[in-house]
Amino acid sequence: MTIPFIHWPDDLANRYRERGYWIDRPLTDIVTQHADSDACAVVCDERQLSYRELNQRIDTLASSLLRLGIQPGQTALVQLGNVAEFYITFFALLKCGIVPVNALFSHQKTELAAYAELIGPSLVIADRAHRLFADDDYWRALRDDFPHINRVLLRGESSTRTAGIAPISLDAAIDGSLEGLVSREVTPAPTPAGEVAFFQLSGGSTGTPKLIPRTHNDYDYSIRRSVELCGVSAATRFLCALPAAHNYPLSSPGALGIFHAGGCVVLADDPAPQRCFPLIERHQVTMVALVPPAVTLWEQSLTVENRPQLDSLELMQIGGARLAVSLAERVPTCFGCQLQQVFGMAEGLVNYTRLDDDDWHRTHTQGYPMCPDDEVFVVDTDGQPLPAGTPGHLIVRGPYTFRGYYRAPIHNEFAFTDEGFYVSGDIVEMTEDGYLKVVGREKDQINRGGEKIAAEEIENLLLRHDDIIEVAFVSVPDDVMGEKSCAVVVARTPLKAAPLRRWLRELGVADYKVPDRFQFVDALPQTAVGKIDKRALRETLHAGLASGT
Ligand code: AMP
Ligand code: DBH
């Protein structure tokens, strides 16, 4: 049984195979090709796993899962942080043909429920270190709501003992010490390479979170090509300090790219300089992927004393949100390494500045598409191509850009052109020589330092509040984060920000989505057709901020 998804048309699929982009190998080859290597694959706190050990753990977990009765073609809801078990679990599931969605560690009840609703998981794998899974109440409630869930595996120990069925220990499933497993010989097999390997998360711009089906073929190409363009080799030591599940540190080239090349991934649970600088020194890290606010924090905390900790660093990738030219220009001298800008999306398309680009392109552009067969156009509102230098909508089609969100037919009508181009919602400008500059956004999303928030999702949640009549969730400029969020609220009775934030957190929403500011108004501005005029609202807010009101 395979997961239904919108395929590429045959002519394009044939072209992608002929040109060597799709090579019909499973993503699991990324690690299995190094099964006999004793080189270090992952550093996770005090633990270091060689490729041999990583593969052994993956195999044991895969076998444990199958002997627990999980079937190929089923789906899994996974929530693990920046720990070695994230990769062990990812590859073990893929090896068994089980299709996971990897929730971000910051996600809470509403996000997890939305993903479970979409995929109907048979399996949940999570971490006791996450607030929701610290005791057994939440996963039991989740299992009641989603009766397909028949196995729950948790990493780490519970601090509380509760009556009832205990969850299965992920640690025991990985080290092979689970008891009571059926002792049948089972050979795991991944889904076919042209089928869905896993679901990636979309930053979204609609009321409910969206999932992106990624096939082995398309994701594998994206990783292999990234490895080439970013100069990754077996000597690369990559610091993964952004959320491991995010598309950028997973695949651009991210941890999977490093594994593909036989390099080493050093995990950090936080991009804070206090956490990262000592790790860079200790493990002689050569490459790091950051979002702009983290770069600002790193710069601010540099001192004459700690600067030598970064000596091994050769390449700093920056992406996920707009990077100011002035900050870009300071990177080489500040950090003593090269800058590479990355403009990507979990939906597919990834643009890089190239390692041999001149300074201007590196600092003023977000690079250009990684594949010669990426069909990228900048178009006006009627879909007509615009000349270089004119800002417009980015549309894209290509060998690793998806063709439809999972189970979202109505939204897909809007998100794609008739020719199957994905309309990314970004406003970009193309230079004469084909480089892209991100100049704005049309989608209703807030990009809070690389973390995307679909405005409508939070508006819908706030509208559940008895005293809220109307709300618009918009961005406000912020020096460090680039953008922060502001909920502009029309209320029935006087409300205060702090209790509203608490109320949202109790509903169970990721912290980064909780409004940074609340503004209470008598009415929201409207467009000529009576929709909330967010543009006007943002302008008023910006003006208010600038004048200090
Ligand atoms: P997502 O769909 O959540 O994967 O987020 C992808 C979006 O992040 C893109 O469509 C852009 O809006 C934004 N983004 C990613 N990288 C950059 C970048 N280097 N500069 C500006 N925006 C970016
Ligand atoms: O922001 C992103 O989603 C992103 C940024 C850089 C991404 O998905 C990627 C590279 O692959």
Side-chain angles (χ1 to χ4, degrees):
M1 206 181 68
T2 52
I3 302 286
F5 75 108
I6 303 175
H7 291 246
W8 285 259
D10 286 344
D11 57 331
L12 287 179
N14 291 339
R15 183 193 302 170
Y16 299 155
R17 281 201 172 81
E18 276 160 21
R19 303 205 170 161
Y21 308 140
W22 292 1
I23 57 172
D24 289 306
R25 69 164 200 168
L27 281 173
T28 43
D29 279 16
I30 289 173
V31 283
T32 55
Q33 62 182 337
H34 305 297
D36 298 328
S37 162
D38 290 312
C40 181
V42 195
V43 178
C44 176
D45 284 328
E46 296 308 311
R47 291 183 293 162
Q48 303 208 3
L49 294 183
S50 69
Y51 277 95
R52 189 190 304 278
E53 291 165 328
L54 179 64
N55 274 289
Q56 282 162 352
R57 282 165 174 72
I58 292 167
D59 286 342
T60 310
L61 178 57
S63 151
S64 300
L65 290 172
L66 292 179
R67 293 199 289 150
L68 281 166
I70 309 292
Q71 304 280 331
Q74 292 183 332
T75 58
L77 176 60
V78 180
Q79 188 179 42
L80 294 168
N82 287 24
V83 288
E85 286 77 7
F86 173 85
Y87 304 111
I88 297 170
T89 302
F90 180 72
F91 284 115
L93 291 169
L94 263 55
K95 214 162 203 181
C96 298
I98 301 167
V99 178
V101 56
N102 298 308
L104 298 180
F105 205 65
S106 52
H107 284 154
Q108 302 291 336
K109 284 182 200 171
T110 56
E111 291 92 0
L112 297 186
Y115 300 141
E117 185 72 47
L118 278 166
I119 66 168
S122 304
L123 177 66
V124 172
I125 301 184
D127 200 319
R128 286 291 196 192
H130 192 284
R131 195 170 59 77
L132 286 177
F133 294 95
D135 66 26
D136 295 326
D137 295 343
Y138 174 68
W139 65 261
R140 283 185 184 148
L142 194 68
R143 216 183 35 179
D144 291 342
D145 288 346
F146 299 97
H148 282 302
I149 299 175
N150 55 36
R151 299 290 183 188
V152 176
L153 278 76
L154 296 182
R155 173 182 181 267
E157 297 294 321
S158 168
S159 51
T160 53
R161 287 235 159 271
T162 49
I165 308 165
I168 299 161
S169 158
L170 176 67
D171 312 282
I174 290 174
D175 71 24
S177 64
L178 267 193
E179 290 178 4
L181 293 177
V182 291
S183 61
R184 60 190 168 112
E185 265 316 303
V186 273
T187 317
T191 54
E195 298 291 333
V196 181
F198 76 110
F199 293 105
Q200 191 47 278
L201 311 176
S202 164
S205 55
T206 60
T208 49
K210 297 279 177 288
L211 291 177
I212 303 155
R214 300 293 308 245
T215 64
H216 295 269
N217 272 339
D218 87 77
Y219 214 62
D220 190 54
Y221 170 71
S222 173
I223 290 161
R224 290 192 331 268
R225 180 67 178 142
S226 297
V227 164
E228 250 169 53
L229 290 177
C230 304
V232 176
S233 74
T236 304
R237 303 177 66 83
F238 174 74
L239 181 68
C240 176
L242 299 175
H246 193 279
N247 196 57
Y248 169 29
L250 190 64
S251 69
S252 294
L256 299 193
I258 307 307
F259 292 148
H260 171 75
C264 173
V265 175
V266 178
L267 286 164
D269 50 15
D270 185 345
Q274 299 74 8
R275 178 90 180 95
C276 291
F277 287 12
L279 283 173
I280 293 174
E281 181 177 38
R282 179 167 169 205
H283 301 291
Q284 291 295 290
V285 165
T286 59
M287 174 176 178
V288 63
L290 294 177
V291 288
V295 183
T296 303
L297 289 182
W298 282 34
E299 186 186 29
Q300 284 168 350
S301 70
L302 272 182
T303 60
V304 178
E305 286 75 35
N306 68 16
R307 174 68 183 70
Q309 292 186 308
L310 307 185
D311 278 353
S312 56
L313 214 49
E314 293 165 9
L315 182 65
M316 178 179 284
Q317 295 185 296
I318 308 180
R322 218 185 68 80
L323 174 65
V325 172
S326 52
L327 182 54
E329 283 172 343
R330 292 198 298 274
V331 166
T333 38
C334 253
F335 302 106
C337 63
Q338 201 181 332
L339 159 69
Q340 180 177 48
Q341 296 212 39
V342 195
F343 162 37
M345 48 199 79
E347 285 80 358
L349 179 70
V350 184
N351 305 274
Y352 293 105
T353 55
R354 305 303 201 254
L355 300 183
D356 57 1
D357 274 342
D358 59 28
D359 285 345
W360 188 88
H361 285 90
R362 262 187 236 180
T363 50
H364 285 73
T365 80
Q366 278 66 61
Y368 64 95
M370 62 175 162
C371 178
D373 276 279
D374 280 324
E375 301 172 73
V376 173
F377 293 98
V378 182
V379 300
D380 65 16
T381 37
D382 298 325
Q384 294 309 308
L386 290 164
T390 310
H393 305 262
L394 184 151
I395 63 169
V396 55
R397 199 163 79 160
Y400 58 96
T401 295
F402 82 140
R403 306 287 298 205
Y405 290 102
Y406 186 56
R407 294 181 55 200
I410 297 168
H411 181 58
N412 284 338
E413 298 262 328
F414 297 98
F416 291 85
T417 70
D418 293 344
E419 292 77 36
F421 284 82
Y422 169 56
V423 184
S424 85
D426 294 304
I427 305 294
V428 304
E429 198 180 295
M430 200 180 276
T431 61
E432 291 286 349
D433 52 358
Y435 285 68
L436 295 173
K437 291 185 192 184
V438 183
V439 296
R441 186 181 326 123
E442 194 241 358
K443 57 190 162 190
D444 199 5
Q445 185 184 73
I446 296 161
N447 188 336
R448 194 176 178 279
E451 291 186 301
K452 322 301 185 306
I453 313 167
E456 199 180 303
E457 189 187 333
I458 301 307
E459 288 163 357
N460 286 347
L461 285 179
L462 283 167
L463 285 172
R464 287 205 223 159
H465 194 288
D466 287 340
D467 294 323
I468 293 182
I469 302 170
E470 237 187 341
V471 57
F473 197 42
V474 294
S475 64
V476 286
D478 182 82
D479 283 348
V480 175
M481 302 298 282
E483 292 172 24
K484 279 194 171 180
S485 64
C486 178
V488 187
V489 174
V490 182
R492 255 177 261 284
T493 53
L495 294 175
K496 287 211 159 61
L500 276 177
R501 288 203 182 92
R502 208 173 317 124
W503 179 81
L504 268 180
R505 289 201 173 93
E506 274 159 21
L507 277 185
V509 65
D511 230 35
Y512 67 86
K513 298 182 184 172
V514 174
D516 293 300
R517 286 180 55 193
F518 279 90
Q519 185 116 338
F520 300 96
V521 296
D522 294 333
L524 294 172
Q526 294 193 342
T527 62
V529 288
K531 290 206 292 186
I532 296 175
D533 190 347
K534 288 197 170 176
R535 192 183 300 262
L537 209 50
R538 272 190 292 265
E539 277 163 17
T540 323
L541 283 171
H542 293 195
L545 280 182
S547 65
T549 56

